Amino acid sequence: MLIWLPYVRLKPDTTNVGACHRLPTTNHQLPATGYRLPARMVQPVTDVLTVNPDAPEKGAIARAAEVLRAGGLVAFPTETVYGLGAHALDPVAIRRIFEAKERPATDPLIVHVGSIDRVASLVADLPDEVGKLAARFWPGPLTVVLARSHVVPDEVTAGLATVAIRVPAHPVARALLAAAGIPIAAPSANLFSRPSPTRADHVLQDLHGRIDLVIDGGPTSVGVESTVLDLARGVPTILRPGAVTREMLLEVLPRVDIREDAMVDAAGAMASPGLLAKHYSPRARLTLYEGDAAAVATRIADDARAQILGGRSVGIIAADEDQFDGAHVVRVGAAHDVAAIASRLYAALRELDEAGVDVILARGFPALPGLGVAIADRLRRAAAGRVVHC
Ligand code: TXA
Ligand code: MG
């Protein structure tokens, strides 16, 4: 259906990156005239702008920045995972994030800014630690939780007295923040409780037709979400493990705790599966196998055989060196290669869902240093308590 809107004049599109020329199809793309497209005329279309991840084209970034400033939703790559961005100081735009993701309003968002200079107005207090951490880890995969200022809407913080802030390192995220000139609230760009997206097509799998724009900057490099560090209450405490590890933080801060329930402990998971937040999950039921590598391999092979005999299709998450047959096997990297495993883990979960397997048997990587802590955490959450110790 052709929609003719005489009062909307689109500027000629100057991008040369596959941008689409089309009339506004969502209300966020309209100028701020107060006019709203009737619901039946809103088309479920999400535009995709493909950019050079190292030097994103200015026209594409300017267009995405404009959508954000006007209250729209733009998914963009960060070095960790793709984020679903909205104007952090616009409560209406923020509510759209929760609607698009089907995320409970009780789950607060991370605010992204271009540099530490942009943090002061968002917080009630800027402890010295932030400067030290910023000098070492920003831009990068570290989020800090600080007492918030009145500028930050309740919608962003889920009514908490604190706000989570990070300065991302990805050139696309940095260019977008610079062009938009606003703080950008951005959770991971997936439907609530699905694995975070590490590629633009993952974003489209979950959010196509629900958001205005996706900037496709290729696969993200880290692959798991940022470390969340609480600086608002006493001893700095890791709420979510990520690429900036406790050991790295201890090089800058005298003391760093890890909140117990931030790390899903495998033994605890066995004892109280019902208490576990189910997060980062594929649709198929995932069981995690931890322990001695040879014993894990034997047990997975046995369980896969039993599942297949029971008529179920089986997906296996394996290391490069593992040998399995008869199932859909996805290899995430050599068993010691934490960087490869982290960067491929979520894509592996999505691949197995796309393949339509009934169950996923995942080899654990429990004792690896560095990113290994975050990998074990995400796998245990995906398993939601189904952890087999070998
Ligand atoms: O790497 C990342 O952090 C990605 C990219 C897009 O930046 N973002 C991300 O956002 O993972 P999200 O919304 O999926 O996860 C944010 C985490 C949640 O666990 C949330 O509970 C926590 O940060 N969080 C946000 N605000 C908080 C606050 N004020 N206090 C404690 N935790 C908070
Ligand atoms: Mg998330």
Side-chain angles (χ1 to χ4, degrees):
M1 180 176 64
L2 180 69
I3 307 168
W4 187 62
L5 296 167
Y7 36 79
V8 175
R9 253 198 25 245
L10 287 179
K11 283 191 234 118
D13 201 321
T14 51
T15 58
N16 58 355
V17 288
C20 310
H21 298 260
R22 73 160 66 87
L23 288 169
T25 49
T26 77
N27 280 318
H28 330 318
Q29 292 169 331
L30 289 170
T33 57
Y35 180 83
R36 286 287 173 263
L37 290 170
R40 65 182 171 74
M41 294 173 83
V42 177
Q43 304 285 303
V45 168
T46 297
D47 285 345
V48 179
L49 294 179
T50 303
V51 299
N52 176 343
D54 302 318
E57 291 75 357
K58 285 200 172 65
I61 294 297
R63 180 170 161 202
E66 194 48 53
V67 172
L68 284 173
R69 273 199 301 265
L73 300 185
V74 175
F76 61 96
T78 80
E79 70 279 20
T80 56
V81 299
Y82 273 72
L84 176 58
H87 191 324
L89 307 183
D90 176 348
V92 177
I94 297 302
R95 268 181 244 137
R96 286 194 187 116
I97 287 183
F98 286 89
E99 280 163 29
K101 280 182 57 99
E102 300 178 21
R103 177 173 169 125
T106 48
D107 199 352
L109 307 180
I110 296 174
V111 177
H112 297 67
V113 293
S115 72
I116 188 173
D117 309 335
R118 298 296 175 112
V119 174
S121 70
L122 303 173
V123 298
D125 175 38
L126 198 55
D128 292 344
E129 289 109 316
V130 181
K132 292 185 199 150
L133 291 166
R136 172 74 195 273
F137 301 112
W138 277 355
L142 175 68
T143 296
V144 293
V145 174
L146 298 166
R148 71 187 258 209
S149 79
H150 64 276
V151 172
V152 183
D154 279 346
E155 282 79 358
V156 169
T157 65
L160 294 176
T162 53
V163 59
I165 302 177
R166 103 172 172 98
V167 177
H170 196 294
V172 172
R174 293 177 64 69
L176 189 59
L177 282 160
I182 51 172
I184 300 176
S188 50
N190 50 280
L191 283 173
F192 181 66
S193 97
R194 297 265 300 136
S196 292
T198 54
R199 299 194 314 244
D201 61 299
H202 298 162
V203 178
L204 291 169
Q205 275 170 8
D206 282 14
L207 300 177
H208 185 67
R210 294 171 176 240
I211 64 176
D212 297 290
L213 200 60
V214 179
I215 308 179
D216 184 351
T220 63
S221 54
V222 178
V224 293
E225 306 83 349
S226 62
T227 305
V228 178
L229 181 69
D230 189 350
L231 293 174
R233 279 169 289 256
V235 179
T237 302
I238 294 175
L239 305 180
R240 179 175 73 184
V244 175
T245 61
R246 178 162 186 261
E247 291 66 36
M248 291 160 74
L249 292 167
L250 281 170
E251 289 168 20
V252 176
L253 303 175
R255 202 175 147 191
V256 177
D257 286 352
I258 297 195
R259 196 176 72 181
E260 264 171 40
D261 64 343
M263 282 290 302
V264 180
D265 164 66
M270 286 290 278
S272 55
L275 296 180
L276 270 181
K278 185 166 177 282
H279 259 314
Y280 314 105
S281 313
R283 293 196 183 90
R285 200 183 48 151
L286 183 146
T287 303
L288 176 63
Y289 296 77
E290 291 191 340
D292 172 70
V296 162
T298 307
R299 181 71 190 267
I300 289 181
D302 289 350
D303 286 2
R305 220 170 291 122
Q307 293 282 356
I308 291 165
L309 280 174
R312 283 173 287 276
S313 59
V314 175
I316 297 179
I317 295 190
D320 288 353
E321 51 270 57
D322 294 335
Q323 308 279 329
F324 297 109
D325 357 271
H328 187 129
V329 180
V330 182
R331 297 177 197 288
V332 289
H336 64 274
D337 189 349
V338 280
I341 298 165
S343 73
R344 294 189 211 155
L345 182 63
Y346 287 144
L349 295 176
R350 283 179 180 269
E351 180 182 330
L352 290 173
D353 268 345
E354 288 286 290
V357 300
D358 301 312
V359 293
I360 298 174
L361 312 183
R363 175 204 212 278
F365 304 90
L368 295 174
L371 262 171
V373 178
I375 293 167
D377 170 68
R378 303 309 192 272
L379 273 170
R380 287 169 189 170
R381 286 176 197 275
R386 288 177 300 272
V387 183
V388 175
H389 298 273
C390 301

